[in-house]
Amino acid sequence: MIISGSDSGPLAPGPGQLLEEVAGLVGLRPEQVEEALREASITLKGPVPADRRLTVLRLRMSGMKHSGEGFDFEQSFGPGVWVIAHPANSAGKTSLLECLVWPLRGTPRDLPPDVRSWLRTLSVDVMVAGRPTRISLEFTPAARPAATCRIWMADAEDELLESADEDLRLVAEASGLEDTGRVISGHLMDALRMDHIAMWQGKGGADGEGAAQVHGWASYFGACYLNPGGEEILLGDVSAVGLPGRLLELFVDVPYSTALTQLAVAGKRETKLVRQRERRAEVDAVARKSDRDAWQRELTALQSTIAALRAEQDRDVTPLLAAADRAGERLRDRVEQLDDLEQALAELTAGRVRTQQALMDTQETWQARRVLGRLDPVCCPRCEEPLEAERRVQERQSASCAVCTRTLPEVDAQTAEAAIEQLRTQLSAAETAESRARDLRDAAKAEVEQAKAAQRSAHAALQDVLAVSGAHRKLRELELRAAVLQGQLAATGLRPEAVPADGAGASSALEAAHEVVRQYVEAAARRLFPAMDAQIVELAARFGVQHLDSVRLNRAGHVNAVKAGVATAFKRLSRGDRLRMRIATVIALLRVGAARGVATHPGLLLIDSVAAEEVTEVPARTLIAELQALSQELPGLQVVLTTAQPDLVEGLVPRERLITSSGEHLF
């Protein structure tokens, strides 16, 4: 499949042959492969070089400065090197270049806000792939939207330059800055036969898992409006991995390079979708396992309950009834016995209390008599009247109480002690009987509790059997639920085999097309890039890059240079060498294209501050002189550069191509 042959031979087959080759690999018809590519928004365009020449004819603008001073500026252009020069800073060199860039790019890249606010009209006449075109911008600060854009076309260059806008053919119109950028971008890409570049961004998209990053005309224009020396990107002013390489392949006219990028993005998008589907399937499997575990646990419990219900349905309840009766009778006996013991205990406790009280009374009486018998009252205890002496004498003589005149009782100590001892004996016996009765009562209580537990157990067993025997409806409900669970487990028991998607054939066609196109693109690059490498080395040396041994340009857009025998990455070069290598690369594109009779690069170079990276005058003059010489070698080349050192171009660029002013500002 790798192409061989002379350098002048074709670099790739036509779309039809390529479709047949892909179809043969995947076992499909070419129409099916073409349909699969079309569904992925990919069209295999024939490897016929497109005319992408872009030549500026005239720039016109008008406006009002903040000071109230109005200005009108008009400058004609043609092929060759044009220099915007003025020795003063802030004279408007970069602003003038940016005013040229705005209508060509759709948006300015670095136009100061104050200068932007001055503009009222801005238009550029340009040949776009040989078609006379005018891009006009009008600005009205107080209006909304503040900007309008119109694109006009003529049938000939003279007609374009000599006609007013209304005498030309209006082909596009836009309102607002964003819409203006979109309209200009779309018109120029269509006219130059360019497609959007879709680059895969590994961490892009809302989910962070990758998405296509689409680049349009502003990215392409970076190969015309070159970065300054301080930038590390070879081509373009948009930082995107692989974008400089895609621009190289496009402008050196590597066949099917755009299709290869589209196929790569489509493949990565499909890989992402497959990965997401697999991840969702894994999540579903985990969720399914969790559900199955819950279903299995419920089914096991139901099966146990159903088995118990079925076993209990046929049991004889007679033994359980008898057991319940016996438990009830035993409980009643134990309760009656407890009641008797409680009554006996209560009687014994009351007897013991009476005996104890009698003992206390006897003891207190005996003690009182002993004390009172020794009293010698002198007055009545109630009225406190003194006792007559006669009563006191009578008490001593006849043993009558001096207070109440009654005969005083005899106090027999032996009899009193005997009565107290007898009561003590009776109290001890009563306490012993009470303690024994309490023990019997406690034992009877324990037996009652045991009888109650036995009676409850017998009653519960009987109720369970009676409930089961009548639970036919409940058993049926449980059996139906168990059947549902068994069905769910059976339906989710095995992980289903992956079912090929409906687009499996389309996916295979995309993969095969990517592989076939990749081989053709790599083969074409192997034939074209070495020629560019040689051109870059020769041009860079002419531009003043010292000790450059070799350059190897790859499809990723990397310039692998060897200086004085040491491999040096592009970003490790000096700022001046980077700018010179960047210019050399674009000129090499033009040279290789011219050698093959194609013009896939617009042939327009815009370089701001060409001498800013130089430390001496000689390298800068050398660079400008070589650009002037190349403009003679490549008649379609148009270069517009700026410099703050007008002396650098003295004698190198014709004065009619020097854009300068004797005043303080260029406009």
Side-chain angles (χ1 to χ4, degrees):
M1 184 181 298
I2 301 302
I3 297 177
S4 60
S6 65
D7 291 341
S8 60
L11 297 176
Q17 182 181 344
L18 195 147
L19 289 172
E20 290 179 0
E21 186 173 347
V22 175
L25 291 175
V26 295
L28 298 173
R29 298 190 307 277
E31 305 84 55
Q32 292 175 304
V33 175
E34 186 175 20
E35 179 63 24
L37 295 177
R38 188 179 299 112
E39 289 180 358
S41 301
I42 300 173
T43 301
L44 296 179
K45 297 181 180 179
V48 178
D51 183 0
R52 297 198 176 100
R53 288 173 299 172
L54 194 64
T55 305
V56 178
L57 302 177
R58 182 172 59 189
L59 170 68
R60 290 181 295 176
M61 60 182 181
S62 65
M64 182 72 68
K65 298 182 180 181
H66 291 164
S67 62
E69 177 188 359
F71 66 89
D72 287 283
F73 180 89
E74 180 174 340
Q75 175 65 48
S76 297
F77 291 88
V81 178
W82 296 76
V83 179
I84 302 173
H86 197 286
N89 291 327
S90 301
K93 297 182 290 297
T94 298
S95 296
L96 186 58
L97 184 64
E98 286 286 340
C99 288
L100 179 62
V101 167
W102 191 340
L104 294 176
R105 186 174 183 262
T107 56
R109 192 170 73 180
D110 194 23
L111 182 63
D114 58 338
V115 177
R116 182 183 300 198
S117 68
W118 298 348
L119 294 173
R120 297 298 179 266
T121 64
L122 176 62
S123 71
V124 62
D125 294 327
V126 59
M127 297 295 290
V128 182
R131 287 173 285 186
T133 304
R134 176 176 297 166
I135 303 174
S136 299
L137 303 176
E138 293 184 6
F139 306 95
T140 309
R144 292 292 181 272
T148 58
C149 171
R150 294 179 178 86
I151 300 179
W152 313 83
M153 293 190 67
D155 295 326
E157 180 179 332
D158 291 343
E159 179 188 357
L160 178 70
L161 296 175
E162 296 171 2
S163 301
D165 289 352
E166 57 271 15
D167 297 327
L168 300 176
R169 186 169 62 256
L170 181 65
V171 296
E173 191 170 7
S175 296
L177 294 176
E178 292 186 4
D179 195 27
T180 293
R182 283 192 294 267
V183 167
I184 293 176
S185 174
H187 177 79
L188 292 178
M189 288 185 67
D190 288 342
L192 300 176
R193 293 177 56 189
M194 290 180 171
D195 296 318
H196 285 85
I197 301 176
M199 305 292 296
W200 187 259
Q201 187 177 12
K203 295 183 179 180
D207 53 11
E209 295 187 10
Q213 187 179 46
V214 180
H215 302 277
W217 173 245
S219 297
Y220 286 120
F221 199 72
C224 296
Y225 191 6
L226 301 187
N227 296 329
E231 296 292 333
E232 296 181 356
I233 305 174
L234 177 62
L235 290 180
D237 53 6
V238 179
S239 179
V241 177
L243 182 59
R246 302 292 79 76
L247 295 178
L248 282 174
E249 290 179 345
L250 174 72
F251 290 131
V252 80
D253 193 35
V254 173
Y256 301 117
S257 61
T258 300
L260 178 62
T261 303
Q262 294 172 338
L263 287 165
V265 169
K268 291 177 180 178
R269 183 184 294 112
E270 180 63 23
T271 299
K272 171 185 172 180
L273 294 176
V274 170
R275 184 171 62 248
Q276 290 178 335
R277 285 197 296 267
E278 290 176 348
R279 188 162 58 247
R280 285 195 297 269
E282 292 175 358
V283 172
D284 291 343
V286 172
R288 184 168 56 248
K289 182 179 183 303
S290 176
D291 290 340
R292 283 178 53 81
D293 290 344
W295 295 339
Q296 185 61 60
R297 288 193 298 270
E298 184 181 357
L299 178 60
T300 301
L302 282 176
Q303 288 173 337
S304 177
T305 303
I306 290 171
L309 288 175
R310 288 174 176 171
E312 294 290 348
Q313 276 187 328
D314 298 329
R315 286 188 59 183
D316 185 7
V317 299
T318 302
L320 294 176
L321 285 171
D325 290 341
R326 289 194 299 272
E329 291 175 358
R330 184 171 181 273
L331 177 59
R332 286 193 297 272
D333 292 342
R334 294 298 181 269
V335 170
E336 290 176 358
Q337 182 183 7
L338 177 60
D339 290 342
D340 293 341
L341 291 173
E342 289 280 7
Q343 182 63 31
L345 177 59
E347 293 175 355
L348 289 172
T349 299
R352 187 264 304 165
V353 170
R354 287 193 298 272
T355 302
Q356 190 174 21
Q357 187 63 45
L359 175 61
M360 292 175 61
D361 291 345
T362 302
Q363 289 177 331
E364 290 175 357
T365 300
W366 167 239
Q367 291 297 333
R369 286 180 177 177
R370 291 176 62 186
V371 172
L372 292 174
R374 295 183 176 87
L375 291 177
D376 186 13
V378 296
C379 65
C380 176
R382 291 188 66 189
C383 64
E384 297 183 354
E385 287 293 327
L387 296 178
E388 298 175 353
E390 181 180 348
R391 285 196 175 190
R392 296 174 64 83
V393 172
Q394 188 178 355
E395 180 179 304
R396 287 193 294 271
Q397 292 178 356
S398 59
S400 61
C401 177
V403 177
C404 65
T405 69
R406 293 180 183 178
T407 302
L408 293 173
E410 295 183 1
V411 180
D412 187 353
Q414 185 175 0
T415 301
E417 291 296 337
I420 290 173
E421 184 61 31
Q422 181 180 2
L423 289 172
R424 286 175 177 167
T425 301
Q426 291 175 354
L427 177 60
S428 176
E431 289 176 344
T432 300
E434 182 186 16
S435 176
R436 186 179 298 110
R438 183 174 287 106
D439 291 341
L440 291 174
R441 190 275 313 271
D442 292 344
K445 273 187 177 181
E447 290 181 358
V448 167
E449 293 300 323
Q450 293 175 357
K452 285 182 179 179
Q455 192 270 344
R456 284 195 297 268
S457 177
H459 181 74
L462 178 61
Q463 291 300 319
D464 288 343
V465 173
L466 292 175
V468 169
S469 63
H472 299 290
R473 180 177 297 177
K474 179 180 178 181
L475 178 61
R476 180 59 178 164
E477 292 175 354
L478 294 177
E479 289 174 340
L480 289 175
R481 177 57 183 164
V484 170
L485 292 173
Q486 288 172 338
Q488 290 174 333
L489 289 169
T492 59
L494 297 176
R495 185 172 182 175
E497 296 292 333
V499 180
D502 295 338
S507 178
S508 299
L510 290 175
E511 292 178 5
H514 179 269
E515 180 60 23
V516 171
V517 171
R518 182 188 63 80
Q519 294 190 42
Y520 280 125
V521 169
E522 289 182 351
R526 282 196 294 270
R527 294 175 61 184
L528 294 174
F529 277 35
M532 287 186 59
D533 293 343
Q535 293 285 339
I536 292 172
V537 172
E538 186 259 328
L539 289 166
R542 289 171 58 181
F543 292 161
V545 178
Q546 302 293 320
H547 311 299
L548 183 62
D549 300 326
S550 65
V551 165
R552 185 171 59 83
L553 192 65
N554 62 25
R555 291 183 53 239
H558 299 148
V559 177
N560 301 297
V562 176
K563 292 190 66 177
V566 178
T568 306
F570 181 75
K571 66 181 181 179
R572 300 298 180 188
L573 297 172
S574 69
R575 297 168 64 94
D577 281 353
R578 267 183 252 166
L579 178 60
R580 287 186 284 264
M581 290 283 283
R582 190 173 286 122
I583 298 172
T585 300
V586 176
I587 297 298
L589 287 173
L590 294 167
R591 273 186 166 182
V592 171
R596 297 173 53 227
V598 299
T600 53
H601 186 281
L604 173 66
L605 289 184
L606 306 176
I607 308 171
D608 190 24
S609 302
V610 67
E613 313 297 346
E614 309 300 340
V615 295
T616 63
E617 179 181 348
V618 174
R621 286 183 60 84
T622 301
L623 175 58
I624 295 171
E626 291 300 332
L627 287 173
Q628 181 67 17
L630 286 169
S631 70
Q632 302 299 321
E633 178 187 339
L634 302 172
L637 178 63
Q638 186 178 44
V639 182
V640 182
L641 55 87
T642 69
T643 180
Q645 304 176 52
D647 293 344
L648 292 179
V649 299
E650 188 69 31
L652 298 178
V653 177
R655 293 196 60 82
E656 63 269 16
R657 294 183 183 174
L658 180 63
I659 304 170
T660 187
S661 172
S662 58
E664 186 179 354
H665 300 97
L666 290 171
F667 63 92

